[in-house]
Amino acid sequence: MLRHKAYKFRIYPTKEQEIFIAKTIGCSRFVYNHFLHRWNTTYAKTGKGLSYEACSALLPQMKREEATCWLKEVDSTALQSSLKNLADSFSRFFNKQNHQPKFKSKKNPVQSYTTKNVNNSVELKEKHVKLPKLGLVACAKSQEPKGRILNATIRQHASGTFYVSLLCEEDIHELPKTGSPVGVDLGITDFAILSDGRKVDNNRFTSRMEKKLKREQRKLSRRALIAKKKGINLFEAKNYQKQKRKVAKLHEKVMNQRTDFLNKLSTEIIKNHDIICIEDLNTKGMLRNHKLAKSISDVSWSSFVTKLQYKAEWYGREIIKVDQWFPSSQICSGCGHQEGKKALHIREWTCPACRAHHDRDINASKNVLAEGLRVHALSLG
């Protein structure tokens, strides 16, 4: 079945290419903000917004005007993609899928633009990627994309690094059946506890880097204060910007480590199990607990579940979400006896009915599996 799959590679543009990327990002942001303002103004006056077609028709006129003729310098498909993103944002907003579109800021830590592949304008060639108006850009190719490249998104991170994401249309085949269901209980001490008794360690990527991050962020704050005392704009304060990139590199390293871990674990679970039962966690609600919020945000449960879901759809697996109020920690997986709520510090307990001794988390994952299979059987009728 044809699916959309993205490949992300780091790129190493030359100084001239970096300048052109910065120009294209700036122009794309300008076009997005300009038409968002027009859209809002039109809606306030008439009660109706604009359309992608109406905005697209105005773009060539803007390129001819003296005040905005510099838009001609950059990739035209990138500007059209910016308009398409705006139209899609409004469509999702009116369908109550997201909040109202906001103006883009050049202060955002990640800046990007998207360009389409027209007549092979986007290609991977050995250690380079070919991009419209940029030509060949040095690339660290770690995978070989399969299928047709649809578009490319070029991103510049606050650390000063550049990446390209290639969206491809691929024929992805379902994996052979294993006949093995699994229950997954997500935790903080151990990231994931499987019903087969396996525990996956929580690597605590942020905690490992915390001491270094605190030290470098304090330096950043001091340099911001020094720049303000001297009356220097932070964008022009070289020492501040240098330290800002250093802090961003640490955050990016943590993000990359976590993403790699989540991708490998989710792929392994999908390959080895047909049915994956998992709790439908209310992560936003749990983050209100200030004692656990830092640890919960570090483990990225929601990102892990998202990866499981799209990979399950690709490879013919099934994800079953168990209700968040299901008392998985209170039920004995052996006899079904239910006790009251247990405090978090109780990691092991013995069932008073059948005398079975349980590890709290493994017992919970077994109960999640049993409840998920029950829900699955009901859905099949």
Side-chain angles (χ1 to χ4, degrees):
M1 188 179 291
L2 286 175
R3 301 281 188 188
H4 287 175
K5 186 174 181 180
Y7 294 85
K8 184 178 177 182
F9 307 110
R10 184 168 176 182
I11 55 174
Y12 301 89
T14 61
K15 286 292 180 186
E16 291 77 11
Q17 289 171 333
E18 282 185 20
I19 292 168
F20 186 81
I21 289 171
K23 278 185 180 179
T24 310
I25 288 171
C27 290
S28 298
R29 184 175 58 244
F30 172 82
V31 167
Y32 184 95
N33 290 342
H34 174 80
F35 282 100
L36 174 55
H37 173 69
R38 293 185 73 150
W39 203 304
N40 290 339
T41 306
T42 305
Y43 186 82
K45 287 181 180 177
T46 65
K48 292 182 179 179
L50 300 173
S51 65
Y52 166 72
E53 289 75 17
C55 295
S56 183
L58 292 170
L59 199 53
Q61 183 184 336
M62 287 179 67
K63 291 180 181 179
R64 289 192 292 270
E65 292 174 2
E66 188 176 346
T68 50
C69 62
W70 37 266
L71 291 173
K72 290 187 288 186
E73 296 177 22
V74 301
D75 179 15
S76 59
T77 56
L79 303 183
Q80 291 290 346
S81 295
S82 193
L83 286 180
K84 190 69 179 171
N85 290 340
L86 177 62
D88 289 344
S89 295
F90 270 108
S91 296
R92 290 195 298 273
F93 168 62
F94 290 123
N95 289 330
K96 298 182 178 179
Q97 293 175 305
N98 59 255
H99 297 294
Q100 186 175 352
K102 295 181 180 179
F103 291 99
K104 291 184 182 291
S105 170
K106 62 180 178 181
K107 293 181 180 179
N108 287 341
V110 179
Q111 299 286 333
S112 67
Y113 75 88
T114 300
T115 182
K116 290 183 179 179
N117 181 16
V118 181
N119 297 324
N120 293 325
S121 58
V122 179
E123 281 185 291
L124 266 177
K125 295 185 175 182
E126 295 180 0
K127 294 183 180 180
H128 292 82
V129 58
K130 177 187 166 190
L131 295 167
K133 287 207 171 185
L134 275 173
L136 293 176
V137 185
C139 169
K141 189 170 73 171
S142 53
Q143 299 178 75
E144 190 64 51
K146 302 167 187 175
R148 184 168 63 97
I149 298 174
L150 300 176
N151 62 47
T153 300
I154 293 87
R155 291 184 176 87
Q156 180 179 8
H157 287 232
S159 61
T161 54
F162 293 85
Y163 295 87
V164 62
S165 294
L166 303 178
L167 183 67
C168 302
E169 189 177 57
E170 288 187 15
D171 190 10
I172 298 177
H173 301 284
E174 293 186 0
L175 292 170
K177 300 295 180 184
T178 63
S180 169
V182 70
V184 182
D185 182 53
L186 298 176
I188 294 174
T189 306
D190 295 297
F191 177 78
I193 302 91
L194 309 187
S195 55
D196 58 10
R198 181 187 167 200
K199 291 186 177 183
V200 180
D201 181 44
N202 172 15
N203 290 279
R204 299 182 183 276
F205 298 112
T206 305
S207 300
R208 288 182 183 179
M209 200 75 76
E210 192 169 19
K211 192 175 179 181
K212 196 171 184 180
L213 271 169
K214 279 184 178 178
R215 184 171 64 247
E216 298 302 333
Q217 283 171 332
R218 285 194 191 104
K219 284 184 185 177
L220 183 67
S221 298
R222 285 198 296 270
R223 291 185 183 184
L225 286 171
I226 291 168
K228 284 179 182 178
K229 283 179 182 177
K230 291 181 178 179
I232 304 171
N233 188 299
L234 290 181
F235 278 101
E236 296 170 2
K238 290 183 179 179
N239 285 340
Y240 173 82
Q241 291 299 330
K242 185 179 177 181
Q243 184 63 23
K244 188 180 177 182
R245 283 192 294 273
K246 195 171 182 179
V247 171
K249 279 182 181 178
L250 292 175
H251 281 292
E252 190 176 320
K253 184 176 180 179
V254 171
M255 181 188 70
N256 289 339
Q257 287 175 331
R258 188 186 294 116
T259 302
D260 182 62
F261 165 72
L262 295 177
N263 272 324
K264 286 177 178 175
L265 179 59
S266 57
T267 299
E268 182 191 341
I269 291 174
I270 290 293
K271 280 183 178 179
N272 296 322
H273 304 283
D274 295 338
I275 298 175
I276 298 101
C277 306
I278 195 164
E279 281 185 295
D280 189 11
L281 296 171
N282 178 18
T283 309
K284 285 186 179 178
M286 295 172 80
L287 286 171
R288 295 193 189 104
N289 183 337
H290 298 298
K291 292 180 181 178
L292 298 175
K294 196 173 184 180
S295 299
I296 290 170
S297 60
D298 187 29
V299 292
S300 297
W301 287 335
S302 56
S303 177
F304 175 66
V305 173
T306 300
K307 291 179 188 300
L308 277 178
Q309 285 176 318
Y310 77 72
K311 289 177 184 180
E313 189 181 343
W314 284 355
Y315 299 115
R317 301 312 199 207
E318 193 165 356
I319 302 288
I320 300 170
K321 288 191 175 181
V322 173
D323 189 271
Q324 61 178 312
W325 303 114
F326 175 69
S328 58
S329 298
Q330 302 173 24
I331 301 171
C332 171
S333 58
C335 67
H337 175 76
Q338 184 172 346
E339 280 197 323
K341 194 173 181 180
K342 296 176 182 62
L344 284 174
H345 70 271
I346 299 173
R347 307 316 303 169
E348 294 183 8
W349 59 284
T350 302
C351 175
C354 67
R355 309 307 300 171
H357 188 72
H358 296 295
D359 176 290
R360 178 192 179 114
D361 297 325
I362 294 174
N363 178 70
S365 63
K366 288 179 179 178
N367 287 326
V368 167
L369 172 61
E371 177 65 10
L373 292 178
R374 187 187 70 81
V375 171
H376 179 61
L378 288 174
S379 68
L380 294 176

